[in-house]
Coordinates of all heavy atoms in Angstrom, one line a residue:
M1 N 29.0 -0.8 -1.7 CA 28.9 -2.2 -2.0 C 27.6 -2.7 -1.2 O 27.5 -2.5 0.0 CB 30.1 -2.9 -1.4 CG 30.0 -4.4 -1.5 SD 31.6 -5.2 -1.0 CE 31.3 -5.7 0.6
E2 N 26.7 -3.2 -1.9 CA 25.4 -3.7 -1.3 C 25.6 -5.1 -0.9 O 26.2 -5.9 -1.7 CB 24.3 -3.5 -2.3 CG 23.8 -2.1 -2.5 CD 22.5 -2.0 -3.3 OE1 21.7 -3.0 -3.2 OE2 22.3 -1.1 -4.0
L3 N 25.1 -5.4 0.3 CA 25.2 -6.8 0.8 C 23.8 -7.3 1.1 O 23.0 -6.5 1.6 CB 26.0 -6.9 2.0 CG 27.5 -6.8 2.0 CD1 28.1 -6.8 3.3 CD2 28.0 -7.9 1.1
S4 N 23.5 -8.5 0.8 CA 22.2 -9.1 1.2 C 22.5 -9.9 2.4 O 23.6 -10.3 2.7 CB 21.6 -10.0 0.1 OG 22.4 -11.2 0.0
P5 N 21.4 -10.1 3.2 CA 21.5 -11.0 4.4 C 22.1 -12.4 4.0 O 22.9 -12.9 4.8 CB 20.1 -11.1 4.9 CG 19.4 -9.9 4.5 CD 20.0 -9.6 3.1
L6 N 21.7 -12.9 2.9 CA 22.2 -14.2 2.5 C 23.7 -14.2 2.3 O 24.4 -15.1 2.6 CB 21.5 -14.7 1.2 CG 21.8 -16.1 0.7 CD1 21.5 -17.1 1.7 CD2 21.1 -16.4 -0.6
E7 N 24.2 -13.1 1.6 CA 25.6 -13.0 1.4 C 26.4 -12.9 2.7 O 27.5 -13.5 2.8 CB 25.9 -11.8 0.6 CG 25.5 -11.9 -0.9 CD 25.6 -10.5 -1.6 OE1 25.3 -9.5 -1.1 OE2 25.9 -10.6 -2.8
V8 N 25.8 -12.3 3.7 CA 26.5 -12.2 5.0 C 26.6 -13.6 5.6 O 27.7 -13.9 6.1 CB 25.7 -11.2 5.9 CG1 26.3 -11.3 7.3 CG2 25.8 -9.8 5.4
T9 N 25.5 -14.3 5.6 CA 25.5 -15.6 6.3 C 26.4 -16.6 5.5 O 26.9 -17.6 6.1 CB 24.1 -16.2 6.5 OG1 23.5 -16.3 5.2 CG2 23.3 -15.4 7.4
Q10 N 26.6 -16.5 4.2 CA 27.3 -17.4 3.5 C 28.8 -17.0 3.3 O 29.6 -17.8 2.7 CB 26.7 -17.7 2.1 CG 25.3 -18.3 2.2 CD 24.7 -18.6 0.8 OE1 25.1 -18.0 -0.2 NE2 23.7 -19.4 0.8
R11 N 29.2 -15.9 3.8 CA 30.6 -15.4 3.7 C 31.5 -16.4 4.4 O 31.3 -16.9 5.5 CB 30.7 -14.1 4.3 CG 32.0 -13.5 4.3 CD 32.4 -13.0 3.0 NE 33.6 -12.1 3.1 CZ 34.8 -12.4 2.7 NH1 35.0 -13.6 2.1 NH2 35.7 -11.5 2.8
E12 N 32.6 -16.8 3.7 CA 33.6 -17.6 4.2 C 34.9 -16.8 4.4 O 35.2 -15.9 3.6 CB 33.9 -18.8 3.2 CG 32.8 -19.7 3.0 CD 32.5 -20.6 4.2 OE1 33.4 -21.0 4.9 OE2 31.3 -20.9 4.4
F13 N 35.6 -17.1 5.5 CA 36.8 -16.5 5.8 C 38.0 -17.5 5.8 O 37.8 -18.6 6.2 CB 36.8 -15.8 7.2 CG 35.7 -14.7 7.2 CD1 34.4 -15.0 7.7 CD2 36.1 -13.4 6.9 CE1 33.5 -14.0 7.7 CE2 35.1 -12.4 6.9 CZ 33.8 -12.7 7.3
G14 N 39.2 -17.0 5.4 CA 40.3 -17.9 5.5 C 40.7 -18.2 7.0 O 40.4 -17.4 7.9
K15 N 41.3 -19.3 7.2 CA 41.7 -19.7 8.5 C 43.2 -19.6 8.7 O 44.0 -19.9 7.8 CB 41.2 -21.2 8.8 CG 39.7 -21.3 8.7 CD 39.3 -22.8 9.1 CE 37.8 -22.8 9.0 NZ 37.2 -24.1 9.3
K16 N 43.5 -19.1 9.9 CA 44.9 -19.0 10.2 C 45.1 -19.5 11.6 O 44.2 -19.7 12.4 CB 45.3 -17.5 10.2 CG 45.3 -16.8 8.9 CD 45.9 -15.5 9.0 CE 46.1 -14.9 7.6 NZ 46.8 -13.6 7.6
F17 N 46.4 -19.9 11.8 CA 46.7 -20.4 13.2 C 46.4 -19.3 14.2 O 46.7 -18.1 14.0 CB 48.2 -20.7 13.2 CG 48.7 -21.3 14.5 CD1 48.3 -22.6 14.9 CD2 49.5 -20.6 15.3 CE1 48.7 -23.1 16.1 CE2 49.9 -21.1 16.5 CZ 49.5 -22.4 16.9
R18 N 45.7 -19.7 15.3 CA 45.3 -18.8 16.3 C 44.4 -17.7 15.8 O 44.4 -16.6 16.3 CB 46.5 -18.2 17.0 CG 47.3 -19.1 17.8 CD 48.4 -18.4 18.6 NE 49.0 -19.3 19.5 CZ 49.3 -19.1 20.7 NH1 49.0 -17.9 21.2 NH2 49.8 -20.0 21.5
G19 N 43.6 -18.1 14.8 CA 42.6 -17.1 14.3 C 41.4 -17.0 15.2 O 41.3 -17.5 16.3
L20 N 40.4 -16.4 14.6 CA 39.1 -16.2 15.3 C 38.3 -17.5 15.4 O 38.5 -18.4 14.6 CB 38.2 -15.1 14.6 CG 38.9 -13.7 14.5 CD1 38.0 -12.9 13.7 CD2 39.1 -13.1 15.9
D21 N 37.5 -17.5 16.4 CA 36.6 -18.7 16.6 C 35.6 -18.7 15.5 O 34.7 -17.8 15.4 CB 35.9 -18.6 18.0 CG 35.0 -19.8 18.2 OD1 35.0 -20.7 17.5 OD2 34.3 -19.7 19.3
P22 N 35.6 -19.7 14.6 CA 34.7 -19.8 13.5 C 33.2 -19.8 13.9 O 32.4 -19.1 13.3 CB 35.1 -21.1 12.8 CG 36.4 -21.4 13.2 CD 36.5 -20.9 14.6
E23 N 32.9 -20.5 15.0 CA 31.5 -20.5 15.4 C 31.0 -19.1 15.9 O 29.9 -18.7 15.7 CB 31.4 -21.6 16.6 CG 29.9 -21.8 17.0 CD 29.1 -22.4 15.8 OE1 29.6 -23.1 15.0 OE2 27.9 -21.9 15.7
E24 N 31.9 -18.4 16.6 CA 31.5 -17.1 17.1 C 31.3 -16.1 15.9 O 30.4 -15.3 15.9 CB 32.6 -16.6 18.0 CG 32.3 -15.3 18.7 CD 33.3 -14.9 19.7 OE1 34.1 -15.8 20.2 OE2 33.4 -13.7 20.0
V25 N 32.2 -16.2 14.9 CA 32.1 -15.4 13.7 C 30.8 -15.7 13.0 O 30.0 -14.8 12.6 CB 33.3 -15.6 12.7 CG1 33.0 -14.9 11.4 CG2 34.5 -15.1 13.4
H26 N 30.5 -17.0 12.8 CA 29.2 -17.5 12.2 C 28.0 -17.0 12.9 O 27.1 -16.5 12.3 CB 29.2 -19.0 12.1 CG 28.0 -19.5 11.4 ND1 27.8 -19.4 10.0 CD2 27.0 -20.2 11.9 CE1 26.6 -20.0 9.7 NE2 26.1 -20.4 10.9
T27 N 28.0 -17.1 14.2 CA 26.9 -16.6 15.0 C 26.7 -15.1 14.9 O 25.6 -14.6 14.7 CB 27.1 -16.9 16.5 OG1 27.2 -18.3 16.7 CG2 26.0 -16.4 17.4
F28 N 27.8 -14.4 14.9 CA 27.7 -12.9 14.7 C 27.2 -12.5 13.3 O 26.3 -11.7 13.2 CB 29.1 -12.3 15.0 CG 29.0 -10.8 14.9 CD1 28.4 -10.0 15.9 CD2 29.6 -10.1 13.9 CE1 28.3 -8.7 15.8 CE2 29.6 -8.7 13.8 CZ 29.0 -8.0 14.8
L29 N 27.6 -13.2 12.3 CA 27.2 -12.9 10.9 C 25.7 -13.3 10.8 O 25.0 -12.6 10.1 CB 28.0 -13.7 9.9 CG 29.4 -13.3 9.7 CD1 30.2 -14.2 8.8 CD2 29.5 -11.9 9.3
E30 N 25.2 -14.3 11.5 CA 23.8 -14.6 11.4 C 23.0 -13.5 12.1 O 21.9 -13.1 11.6 CB 23.5 -16.0 12.1 CG 23.9 -17.1 11.2 CD 23.5 -18.5 11.9 OE1 23.1 -18.5 13.1 OE2 23.6 -19.5 11.2
Q31 N 23.5 -13.0 13.2 CA 22.8 -11.9 13.8 C 22.7 -10.6 12.9 O 21.7 -10.0 12.9 CB 23.5 -11.5 15.2 CG 23.4 -12.5 16.3 CD 24.3 -12.2 17.5 OE1 25.2 -11.4 17.4 NE2 24.0 -12.9 18.5
I32 N 23.8 -10.4 12.3 CA 23.9 -9.3 11.3 C 22.8 -9.5 10.2 O 22.1 -8.6 9.8 CB 25.3 -9.0 10.7 CG1 26.2 -8.6 11.8 CG2 25.3 -8.1 9.6 CD1 27.7 -8.5 11.4
A33 N 22.8 -10.7 9.7 CA 21.9 -11.0 8.6 C 20.4 -10.8 9.1 O 19.6 -10.3 8.3 CB 22.1 -12.4 8.1
E34 N 20.1 -11.3 10.3 CA 18.8 -11.1 10.8 C 18.4 -9.6 10.9 O 17.3 -9.2 10.6 CB 18.6 -11.8 12.2 CG 18.6 -13.3 12.1 CD 18.7 -14.0 13.4 OE1 18.6 -13.3 14.5 OE2 18.8 -15.2 13.5
E35 N 19.3 -8.8 11.4 CA 19.1 -7.4 11.6 C 18.9 -6.7 10.2 O 18.1 -5.9 10.0 CB 20.2 -6.7 12.3 CG 20.1 -5.2 12.6 CD 18.9 -4.9 13.4 OE1 18.3 -5.8 14.1 OE2 18.6 -3.7 13.5
M36 N 19.7 -7.1 9.2 CA 19.6 -6.6 7.9 C 18.2 -7.0 7.3 O 17.6 -6.1 6.7 CB 20.7 -7.2 7.0 CG 22.1 -6.6 7.2 SD 23.3 -7.3 6.1 CE 22.8 -6.7 4.5
T37 N 17.8 -8.2 7.5 CA 16.5 -8.6 7.0 C 15.4 -7.7 7.7 O 14.4 -7.3 7.0 CB 16.2 -10.1 7.4 OG1 17.2 -10.9 6.7 CG2 14.9 -10.6 6.9
R38 N 15.4 -7.5 9.0 CA 14.5 -6.7 9.6 C 14.5 -5.2 9.1 O 13.4 -4.7 8.8 CB 14.8 -6.6 11.1 CG 13.7 -5.9 12.0 CD 14.1 -5.7 13.4 NE 15.3 -4.8 13.5 CZ 15.2 -3.4 13.5 NH1 14.0 -2.9 13.2 NH2 16.2 -2.7 13.6
L39 N 15.7 -4.7 8.9 CA 15.8 -3.3 8.3 C 15.3 -3.2 6.9 O 14.6 -2.2 6.6 CB 17.2 -2.9 8.4 CG 17.7 -2.6 9.9 CD1 19.2 -2.3 9.8 CD2 17.0 -1.5 10.5
V40 N 15.5 -4.2 6.1 CA 15.0 -4.2 4.7 C 13.5 -4.3 4.7 O 12.8 -3.5 4.0 CB 15.6 -5.4 3.9 CG1 14.9 -5.6 2.6 CG2 17.1 -5.2 3.6
Q41 N 12.9 -5.1 5.6 CA 11.5 -5.2 5.7 C 10.9 -3.9 6.2 O 9.9 -3.4 5.7 CB 11.1 -6.3 6.7 CG 9.6 -6.4 7.0 CD 8.8 -6.9 5.8 OE1 9.4 -7.6 4.9 NE2 7.6 -6.6 5.7
E42 N 11.5 -3.3 7.2 CA 11.1 -2.0 7.7 C 11.1 -0.9 6.6 O 10.2 -0.1 6.5 CB 11.9 -1.6 8.9 CG 11.5 -0.3 9.6 CD 12.4 0.0 10.8 OE1 12.5 -0.9 11.7 OE2 13.0 1.0 10.9
N43 N 12.2 -0.9 5.9 CA 12.4 0.0 4.8 C 11.3 -0.2 3.7 O 10.7 0.8 3.2 CB 13.8 -0.1 4.1 CG 14.1 1.0 3.2 OD1 13.7 2.1 3.4 ND2 14.8 0.6 2.2
T44 N 11.0 -1.4 3.4 CA 9.9 -1.7 2.4 C 8.5 -1.2 2.9 O 7.8 -0.6 2.2 CB 9.8 -3.2 2.1 OG1 11.1 -3.6 1.6 CG2 8.7 -3.5 1.2
E45 N 8.3 -1.4 4.2 CA 7.0 -1.0 4.8 C 6.9 0.6 4.8 O 5.9 1.1 4.5 CB 6.9 -1.5 6.2 CG 6.6 -3.0 6.3 CD 6.7 -3.6 7.7 OE1 7.0 -2.8 8.6 OE2 6.6 -4.8 7.8
R46 N 8.0 1.2 5.1 CA 8.0 2.7 5.1 C 7.9 3.2 3.7 O 7.2 4.2 3.6 CB 9.3 3.2 5.8 CG 9.5 2.8 7.2 CD 9.4 4.0 8.1 NE 9.3 3.6 9.5 CZ 10.2 3.6 10.4 NH1 11.5 3.9 10.0 NH2 10.0 3.2 11.7
A47 N 8.5 2.6 2.7 CA 8.3 3.1 1.4 C 6.8 3.0 0.9 O 6.3 3.9 0.3 CB 9.2 2.3 0.4
A48 N 6.2 1.9 1.3 CA 4.8 1.7 1.0 C 3.9 2.8 1.7 O 3.0 3.4 1.1 CB 4.3 0.3 1.3
Q49 N 4.3 3.1 3.0 CA 3.5 4.1 3.7 C 3.7 5.5 3.1 O 2.8 6.2 3.0 CB 4.0 4.1 5.2 CG 3.3 5.1 6.1 CD 3.8 5.1 7.5 OE1 5.0 4.6 7.7 NE2 3.0 5.6 8.4
I50 N 4.9 5.8 2.7 CA 5.2 7.0 2.0 C 4.3 7.2 0.7 O 3.8 8.2 0.5 CB 6.7 7.2 1.6 CG1 7.5 7.4 2.9 CG2 6.9 8.3 0.6 CD1 9.0 7.4 2.8
Q51 N 4.2 6.1 0.0 CA 3.4 6.2 -1.2 C 2.0 6.4 -0.9 O 1.3 7.2 -1.6 CB 3.5 4.9 -2.1 CG 4.9 4.7 -2.8 CD 5.0 3.5 -3.6 OE1 4.3 2.5 -3.4 NE2 5.9 3.4 -4.5
R52 N 1.4 5.7 0.1 CA 0.0 5.9 0.5 C -0.2 7.4 1.0 O -1.2 8.0 0.6 CB -0.3 5.0 1.7 CG -0.6 3.6 1.2 CD -1.2 2.7 2.3 NE -0.5 2.8 3.6 CZ 0.5 2.0 3.9 NH1 0.9 1.0 3.1 NH2 1.1 2.0 5.1
L53 N 0.8 7.9 1.8 CA 0.6 9.3 2.3 C 0.7 10.3 1.1 O 0.0 11.3 1.1 CB 1.7 9.5 3.3 CG 1.5 8.8 4.7 CD1 2.6 9.0 5.6 CD2 0.2 9.2 5.4
E54 N 1.6 10.1 0.2 CA 1.7 11.0 -1.0 C 0.4 11.0 -1.8 O 0.0 12.0 -2.3 CB 2.9 10.6 -1.8 CG 4.2 11.0 -1.2 CD 5.4 10.5 -2.0 OE1 5.3 9.6 -2.9 OE2 6.5 11.0 -1.8
A55 N -0.2 9.8 -1.9 CA -1.5 9.7 -2.6 C -2.5 10.5 -1.9 O -3.4 11.2 -2.5 CB -1.9 8.3 -2.8
Q56 N -2.6 10.4 -0.5 CA -3.5 11.2 0.3 C -3.3 12.7 0.1 O -4.3 13.4 0.0 CB -3.4 10.8 1.7 CG -4.0 9.4 2.0 CD -3.8 9.0 3.5 OE1 -3.2 9.8 4.3 NE2 -4.3 7.9 3.9
V57 N -2.0 13.1 0.1 CA -1.7 14.5 -0.1 C -2.2 15.0 -1.4 O -2.9 16.1 -1.5 CB -0.2 14.7 0.1 CG1 0.2 16.1 -0.4 CG2 0.2 14.6 1.5
R58 N -2.0 14.2 -2.5 CA -2.5 14.6 -3.8 C -4.0 14.7 -3.8 O -4.6 15.7 -4.4 CB -2.0 13.6 -4.8 CG -0.6 13.8 -5.3 CD -0.2 13.0 -6.5 NE -0.4 11.5 -6.3 CZ 0.5 10.7 -5.8 NH1 1.7 11.2 -5.4 NH2 0.3 9.5 -5.6
A59 N -4.7 13.8 -3.2 CA -6.2 13.8 -3.1 C -6.6 15.0 -2.4 O -7.6 15.7 -2.8 CB -6.7 12.5 -2.5
N60 N -6.0 15.4 -1.3 CA -6.4 16.5 -0.5 C -6.1 17.8 -1.2 O -6.9 18.8 -1.2 CB -5.6 16.5 0.9 CG -6.1 15.5 1.8 OD1 -7.3 15.0 1.7 ND2 -5.3 15.1 2.8
Q61 N -5.0 17.9 -2.0 CA -4.7 19.0 -2.8 C -5.8 19.2 -3.9 O -6.2 20.4 -4.2 CB -3.3 18.9 -3.4 CG -2.2 19.1 -2.4 CD -0.8 18.9 -3.0 OE1 -0.7 18.1 -4.0 NE2 0.2 19.4 -2.4
E62 N -6.2 18.1 -4.5 CA -7.3 18.2 -5.5 C -8.6 18.7 -4.9 O -9.3 19.6 -5.5 CB -7.5 16.9 -6.2 CG -6.3 16.4 -7.0 CD -6.5 15.0 -7.5 OE1 -7.5 14.3 -7.3 OE2 -5.5 14.5 -8.2
R63 N -8.9 18.3 -3.7 CA -10.1 18.7 -3.0 C -10.0 20.2 -2.7 O -10.9 21.0 -2.8 CB -10.3 17.9 -1.7 CG -10.9 16.6 -1.9 CD -11.3 15.9 -0.6 NE -11.2 14.5 -0.8 CZ -10.5 13.6 -0.1 NH1 -9.8 14.1 1.0 NH2 -10.5 12.4 -0.3
E64 N -8.8 20.6 -2.2 CA -8.6 22.0 -1.9 C -8.8 22.9 -3.1 O -9.4 23.9 -3.1 CB -7.2 22.2 -1.3 CG -6.9 23.6 -0.9 CD -5.4 23.8 -0.5 OE1 -4.7 22.8 -0.3 OE2 -5.1 25.0 -0.2
D65 N -8.2 22.5 -4.2 CA -8.4 23.2 -5.5 C -9.8 23.3 -5.9 O -10.3 24.4 -6.3 CB -7.5 22.6 -6.6 CG -6.0 22.7 -6.4 OD1 -5.6 23.5 -5.6 OD2 -5.3 21.9 -7.1
S66 N -10.5 22.2 -5.7 CA -12.0 22.2 -6.1 C -12.7 23.2 -5.2 O -13.6 23.9 -5.7 CB -12.5 20.8 -5.9 OG -13.9 20.8 -6.2
L67 N -12.5 23.1 -3.9 CA -13.1 24.0 -3.0 C -12.8 25.5 -3.3 O -13.7 26.4 -3.2 CB -12.8 23.7 -1.5 CG -13.4 22.4 -1.0 CD1 -12.8 22.1 0.4 CD2 -14.9 22.6 -0.8
R68 N -11.5 25.8 -3.6 CA -11.1 27.1 -3.9 C -11.8 27.6 -5.1 O -12.3 28.7 -5.2 CB -9.6 27.1 -4.1 CG -9.1 28.5 -4.3 CD -7.6 28.6 -4.4 NE -7.0 28.6 -3.0 CZ -6.2 27.6 -2.6 NH1 -5.8 26.7 -3.4 NH2 -5.8 27.6 -1.4
N69 N -11.9 26.7 -6.2 CA -12.7 27.1 -7.4 C -14.1 27.4 -7.1 O -14.7 28.3 -7.6 CB -12.5 26.0 -8.5 CG -11.1 26.0 -9.0 OD1 -10.3 26.9 -8.9 ND2 -10.7 24.8 -9.5
T70 N -14.7 26.5 -6.2 CA -16.1 26.8 -5.9 C -16.3 28.1 -5.2 O -17.3 28.8 -5.4 CB -16.6 25.6 -5.0 OG1 -16.4 24.4 -5.7 CG2 -18.1 25.7 -4.6
L71 N -15.4 28.4 -4.3 CA -15.5 29.7 -3.5 C -15.4 30.9 -4.5 O -16.1 31.9 -4.4 CB -14.5 29.7 -2.4 CG -14.8 28.9 -1.2 CD1 -13.6 28.9 -0.2 CD2 -16.0 29.3 -0.5
V72 N -14.4 30.8 -5.4 CA -14.2 31.9 -6.3 C -15.5 32.0 -7.2 O -15.9 33.1 -7.4 CB -13.0 31.6 -7.2 CG1 -12.9 32.6 -8.4 CG2 -11.7 31.7 -6.4
T73 N -16.1 30.9 -7.6 CA -17.3 31.0 -8.4 C -18.5 31.6 -7.6 O -19.2 32.4 -8.2 CB -17.6 29.6 -8.9 OG1 -16.5 29.1 -9.7 CG2 -18.9 29.6 -9.8
A74 N -18.5 31.2 -6.4 CA -19.6 31.7 -5.5 C -19.5 33.2 -5.3 O -20.5 33.9 -5.1 CB -19.7 31.0 -4.2
Q75 N -18.3 33.7 -5.3 CA -18.1 35.2 -5.0 C -18.6 35.9 -6.3 O -19.0 37.0 -6.3 CB -16.7 35.5 -4.8 CG -16.2 35.0 -3.4 CD -14.7 35.3 -3.2 OE1 -14.0 35.6 -4.1 NE2 -14.3 35.1 -1.9

């Protein structure tokens, strides 16, 4: 089940006699939502970094192939 930070902060719970402190629950859910937002942002940044690094690896592989072909031709 995927949850968004917004879903966490907007979650409503039923009330019972001698139940949990609603304000404490709300504060905790907000903290969870903030952490989720930070983690989603970090994940997005890491995914972009992976794409950049994969592109660099492909470019380096192409250069290596080119150099290898040049060396073979020179021999």
Side-chain angles (χ1 to χ4, degrees):
M1 176 171 101
E2 287 190 31
L3 287 175
S4 73
L6 183 62
E7 290 171 322
V8 171
T9 57
Q10 292 182 345
R11 176 75 162 108
E12 294 290 327
F13 296 93
K15 295 184 182 182
K16 291 188 174 185
F17 182 70
R18 293 186 170 227
L20 300 174
D21 178 7
E23 188 60 36
E24 191 175 333
V25 171
H26 180 71
T27 300
F28 184 69
L29 290 176
E30 283 183 354
Q31 290 171 346
I32 291 171
E34 288 172 8
E35 181 66 9
M36 286 179 68
T37 300
R38 185 189 68 77
L39 291 171
V40 167
Q41 177 68 29
E42 184 178 305
N43 190 33
T44 301
E45 290 169 1
R46 294 246 168 101
Q49 182 182 20
I50 287 170
Q51 288 181 341
R52 284 191 307 273
L53 292 173
E54 286 175 342
Q56 288 177 355
V57 166
R58 282 191 299 275
N60 288 339
Q61 287 172 337
E62 290 172 5
R63 284 187 206 125
E64 180 184 355
D65 291 343
S66 177
L67 289 171
R68 184 174 283 122
N69 289 339
T70 301
L71 288 173
V72 169
T73 301
Q75 289 177 346

